[in-house]
Amino acid sequence: MASLNILTDKVIGSAIRVHRELGPGLLESAYQECLFYLLNKEGLFVEKEKPIPIKFEEVELECGYRIDILVEKKLVLELKSVKKLNKVHFAQVLSYLKLGNFPLGLLLNFNVSLMKKGIKRIIN
């Protein structure tokens, strides 16, 4: 778990850096592109808009679910740029964690005055 904590710290640091430079109020896609670029530049294996299938009757079905950013094949990042996070946002991350059997997710809301207020850690 220590390596996952180190990875999480790197991602949070990168998210804070993106937020400091761009500020709140932009579209989610702008933050996603910048965070993806920065994490990739730091040498992390990152996948953007990673499809995640649903398993039904032992068959994997592509239903259009996509993880905003998947880091090192284990950390789910769900990015938002909303006035306030709600239960549906948390449920979305939990669903991705369960469907992909990932240990940890970060729900990152960039539409806040201070980025640390927009970071929620979600454990599977």
Side-chain angles (χ1 to χ4, degrees):
M1 189 61 131
S3 66
L4 192 54
N5 287 333
I6 291 168
L7 181 61
T8 302
D9 288 345
K10 284 183 182 181
V11 168
I12 290 172
S14 295
I16 290 170
R17 184 171 166 200
V18 168
H19 187 267
R20 276 189 191 140
E21 191 154 330
L22 300 180
L26 300 177
L27 294 175
E28 176 187 312
S29 58
Y31 300 110
Q32 182 182 22
E33 287 299 321
C34 293
L35 186 58
F36 177 81
Y37 165 79
L38 192 55
L39 294 172
N40 199 22
K41 183 179 169 186
E42 291 179 6
L44 297 172
F45 180 74
V46 289
E47 299 170 88
K48 181 173 46 172
E49 296 294 327
K50 173 78 173 161
I52 185 152
I54 290 178
K55 196 169 190 179
F56 180 75
E57 292 186 355
E58 303 305 315
V59 175
E60 286 191 358
L61 304 169
E62 179 58 50
C63 296
Y65 291 109
R66 298 192 182 282
I67 296 171
D68 286 340
I69 299 175
L70 182 62
V71 184
E72 296 288 329
K73 297 187 182 257
K74 57 186 167 188
L75 178 59
V76 172
L77 305 182
E78 181 60 30
L79 282 58
K80 299 294 180 195
S81 184
V82 294
K83 193 172 193 172
K84 183 180 177 186
L85 293 173
N86 61 48
K87 291 180 183 181
V88 172
H89 299 130
F90 290 91
Q92 182 181 13
V93 176
L94 274 174
S95 294
Y96 291 159
L97 294 178
K98 289 177 184 174
L99 288 170
N101 198 30
F102 302 113
L104 182 64
L106 293 175
L107 179 56
L108 304 170
N109 183 17
F110 284 87
N111 197 26
V112 291
S113 58
L114 193 61
M115 189 62 207
K116 73 177 188 174
K117 293 181 181 178
I119 301 169
K120 304 297 178 193
R121 185 178 167 116
I122 302 168
I123 298 171
N124 185 9

